[in-house]
Amino acid sequence: MYRSIKAASASAKPQAAVLLLPAGTKAADVAHCPDAPALEELLKQPDCELSPEWTRTLYHSDAPAKRTIVVGLGETGKIDATTLRLAAAKALRELDAGKLTSASVHAVGLPESLDGPTIGRAIADGMSLANFTFDAYHGKTKRPDKSKREKPRDLAVGLDSAHRTGFKQGLKVSEGVTTARTLACTPPNVANPKYIANYCKNLAKKSKLKCTVIDARRAKELHMGGLLAVGAGGSTPPCMVILEHAPSGKTKDKPLLLVGKGVTFDTGGYSLKADGGKGMKYDKCGAMNVIGAMQAISNLKVKRRVVGIIGLAENMIDTDAYRVDDIITFCNGVTCEITNTDAEGRLVLADCLAYGTKTYKPAAVLDFATLTGGVVVALGKKIAGVWSTDDALLNKLKTAGQTVGEPIWQLPLDDDYRKMMQAKHADLHNSAPVREAHGTQGAAFLSYFVGTDAPKQIPTTPWVHVDIAGTANTEDCTLMEKGPTGFGVRLATELAATL
Ligand code: BES
Ligand code: MN
Ligand code: ZN
């Protein structure tokens, strides 16, 4: 994998040319091939399908580029940004396998619906998403001796001028995606609430964000009973981190508020998970994706004010851990009887949402959480479930999702579902006695914490809850390797830039 990907200067002579070609491309359509006769020969061959599954590498020594990597895109009418991202990902893997450090990428004959910036952006996304691996903890058996280790390589990518700006923008966003994925991979015995809060402080210095940490002591003063209950059994105390992006002149604007669930490990607590919680280090992905989005938003110098709030806690078993039957009080005064200590994410988010909406009076709120197994059953691993109080905001988010390839699907939220979350001995319980509509139960619970009118009615603050339990990590290895996806970083960044 490359240490970094950069846009090359226009004059540089690359080691490889990457050609992204629709089915039926003729040699005459391709102006950039360093070895025109070889390409003509290839394109004439009957098995040259140029389908999205098809790719070939031509090797030539005397041409300016040493090789040409041809990646098929399929029928022109069916090509979209998703096609381009996948093709760029394949090209990146081929360049990496060849240990090349420079390439030019040309996409030819694309449908008119794809403009230059979109094409550049998709190429950057595909290459950078494929260029991720997490080997920080490879030890003696996987890592060669120091003397035999290869020097880290950087990749310089030359592009047609129409695609260059979008490409550079994409690379800026990708830094945030990589941060989110790296943190998500970092194991729970390292990435505890304290580690992540420290990471945020350092990132803020680097990225010109403002960082405030509400530690457990301050959280007690602020009556954040949800955050404190979930984190009570943890190896380090829970905390809340606030990252602020305030472009000059916009410091008083109503911000976009991003909220993330950061459960650094979810054992289920006393309602213990039967499988031991394998993979539950990813239960912090909502928060990690908010961190990544804030980095990307700052990188892009987005013109609007954005505040990111993450709740960090470890859901463990301990003498101090919270119990089923406990009744807790959140910072907005709402009380909750604990019916299941494994429905912990909503308790952490409740304090984040209540505190965030009261303190920052946001124009819009977006929260990301690996909240329920129910959303995975309903929608699978490619589409995130969303619940919303505002159609205009939701439509903008849907468009953003289509643009960046992070699709969302709306599920219902109404008073009947909110009633399901009301308890006898407290305002709410965190899990209803019935098993139905788990994803919606989560959303209905959260709806009591968005804005000051929230406990009494469905919030008037424009809000979308995004349940990423299915999309936060992947097994399918096409665009990205197995592991965390950063799903939400590009979505939130795109929304912030277009809202
Ligand atoms: N972190 C889990 C949700 C989850 C499940 C994420 C699978 C990723 C994959 C969450 O805290 C949880 O345990 N939810 C319970 C809620 C239930 C107890 C009301 C669930 O979905 O089963
Ligand atoms: Mn849980
Ligand atoms: Zn959880």
Side-chain angles (χ1 to χ4, degrees), residues 24 27 43 59 62 86 89 94 97 156 158 184 329 342 350 382 397 425 455 466 485:
L43 294 181
Y59 297 88
D62 47 351
L86 283 167
E94 183 69 17
T329 307
D342 199 11
K382 295 245 156 113
L397 195 67
H425 292 160
V466 190
T485 58

Side-chain angles (χ1 to χ4, degrees), residues 169-489:
Q169 300 271 95
L171 290 185
K172 284 183 186 164
V173 178
S174 80
E175 285 182 27
V177 180
T178 301
T179 295
R181 292 169 81 189
T182 304
L183 283 170
C185 286
T186 306
N189 55 336
V190 175
N192 54 39
K194 191 174 174 190
Y195 173 98
I196 291 165
N198 280 334
Y199 187 99
C200 289
K201 285 185 201 161
N202 289 328
L203 176 72
K205 276 185 215 143
K206 253 189 5 199
S207 297
K208 299 203 183 94
L209 294 162
K210 184 177 164 203
C211 178
T212 315
V213 177
I214 297 179
D215 62 11
R217 212 186 62 188
R218 181 79 188 119
K220 233 167 260 162
E221 288 168 5
L222 292 166
H223 307 288
M224 295 178 166
L227 177 75
L228 291 166
V230 175
S235 60
T236 65
C239 62
M240 200 178 275
V241 180
I242 304 165
L243 291 167
E244 291 178 64
H245 166 77
S248 57
K250 306 270 176 175
T251 48
K252 296 250 148 52
D253 285 9
K254 285 186 166 187
L256 166 66
L257 177 66
L258 305 176
V259 172
K261 166 181 173 181
V263 172
T264 59
F265 192 75
D266 183 10
T267 64
Y270 279 98
S271 312
L272 190 61
K273 286 191 184 294
D275 66 351
K278 182 76 191 100
M280 282 300 148
K281 69 172 176 179
Y282 297 142
D283 214 20
K284 60 185 182 303
C285 282
M288 302 309 99
N289 297 347
V290 168
I291 297 172
M294 293 306 296
Q295 181 182 8
I297 285 164
S298 167
N299 269 356
L300 286 179
K301 301 195 168 62
V302 167
K303 287 202 183 69
R304 82 170 12 258
R305 187 174 166 219
V306 186
V307 175
I309 299 192
I310 59 174
L312 299 165
E314 195 183 11
N315 190 17
M316 300 289 278
I317 288 172
D318 186 85
T319 43
D320 292 332
Y322 76 137
R323 288 159 290 243
V324 168
D325 282 356
D326 282 357
I327 294 180
I328 61 173
T329 307
F330 298 95
C331 65
N332 68 345
V334 172
T335 61
C336 172
E337 178 177 331
I338 305 303
T339 42
N340 190 324
T341 62
D342 199 11
E344 83 298 337
R346 62 199 68 183
L347 307 175
V348 171
L349 285 175
D351 276 326
C352 293
L353 287 165
Y355 179 79
T357 50
K358 183 167 179 234
T359 310
Y360 296 97
K361 309 208 166 33
V365 184
L366 210 56
D367 79 75
F368 290 94
T370 49
L371 206 68
T372 65
V375 86
V376 195
V377 175
L379 299 174
K381 301 216 30 102
K382 295 245 156 113
I383 302 178
V386 293
W387 291 260
S388 174
T389 57
D390 188 275
D391 286 344
L393 178 65
L394 179 66
N395 285 334
K396 281 184 187 152
L397 195 67
K398 271 189 198 157
T399 306
Q402 275 158 9
T403 305
V404 303
E406 293 186 334
I408 58 174
W409 196 266
Q410 186 185 17
L411 291 158
L413 170 64
D414 66 22
D415 280 325
D416 282 345
Y417 291 115
R418 275 166 58 88
K419 281 201 195 94
M420 268 174 100
M421 305 316 292
Q422 292 174 357
K424 183 159 166 49
H425 292 160
D427 294 330
L428 305 174
H429 42 220
N430 67 334
S431 178
V434 291
R435 269 178 57 82
E436 58 211 43
H438 262 177
T440 299
Q441 286 190 33
F445 185 90
L446 296 179
S447 76
Y448 285 90
F449 301 91
V450 180
T452 42
D453 57 346
K456 298 233 156 64
Q457 59 174 54
I458 290 184
T460 51
T461 308
W463 164 59
V464 184
H465 159 57
V466 190
D467 193 334
I468 56 167
T471 55
N473 62 301
T474 182
E475 312 259 322
D476 96 344
C477 311
T478 48
L479 191 55
M480 296 180 235
E481 69 171 23
K482 180 179 150 93
T485 58
F487 188 109
V489 176

Side-chain angles (χ1 to χ4, degrees), residues 24-247:
T25 303
K26 302 275 169 286
D29 305 333
V30 189
H32 291 285
C33 185
D35 189 346
L39 182 69
E40 198 171 344
E41 189 60 29
L42 176 74
L43 294 181
K44 270 198 300 211
Q45 282 167 21
D47 68 341
C48 177
E49 292 168 22
L50 295 175
S51 67
E53 294 76 36
W54 188 99
T55 156
R56 288 284 186 285
T57 302
L58 293 171
Y59 297 88
H60 18 241
S61 51
D62 47 351
K66 287 183 187 145
R67 66 189 79 173
T68 302
I69 298 165
V70 185
V71 185
L73 297 173
E75 278 172 58
T76 310
K78 292 190 183 154
I79 296 172
D80 58 13
T82 306
T83 326
L84 288 175
R85 278 189 288 269
L86 283 167
K90 274 195 221 164
L92 183 282
R93 289 189 195 107
E94 183 69 17
L95 293 165
D96 186 42
K99 303 188 177 181
L100 305 182
T101 55
S102 61
S104 62
V105 180
H106 310 282
V108 197
L110 299 183
E112 302 226 325
S113 55
L114 291 167
D115 58 20
T118 305
I119 297 166
R121 174 73 206 270
I123 294 171
D125 281 359
M127 292 185 107
S128 57
L129 290 170
N131 187 51
F132 175 85
T133 197
F134 182 73
D135 58 7
Y137 293 84
H138 281 180
K140 285 215 154 100
T141 64
K142 285 207 162 176
R143 199 183 279 273
D145 292 341
K146 244 191 180 153
S147 59
K148 291 190 192 126
R149 257 179 241 167
E150 289 177 22
K151 279 216 184 85
R153 274 185 294 273
D154 299 307
L155 178 67
V157 182
L159 292 127
D160 302 330
S161 59
H163 304 158
R164 194 168 298 136
T165 314
F167 184 80
K168 285 185 178 168
Q169 300 271 95
L171 290 185
K172 284 183 186 164
V173 178
S174 80
E175 285 182 27
V177 180
T178 301
T179 295
R181 292 169 81 189
T182 304
L183 283 170
C185 286
T186 306
N189 55 336
V190 175
N192 54 39
K194 191 174 174 190
Y195 173 98
I196 291 165
N198 280 334
Y199 187 99
C200 289
K201 285 185 201 161
N202 289 328
L203 176 72
K205 276 185 215 143
K206 253 189 5 199
S207 297
K208 299 203 183 94
L209 294 162
K210 184 177 164 203
C211 178
T212 315
V213 177
I214 297 179
D215 62 11
R217 212 186 62 188
R218 181 79 188 119
K220 233 167 260 162
E221 288 168 5
L222 292 166
H223 307 288
M224 295 178 166
L227 177 75
L228 291 166
V230 175
S235 60
T236 65
C239 62
M240 200 178 275
V241 180
I242 304 165
L243 291 167
E244 291 178 64
H245 166 77

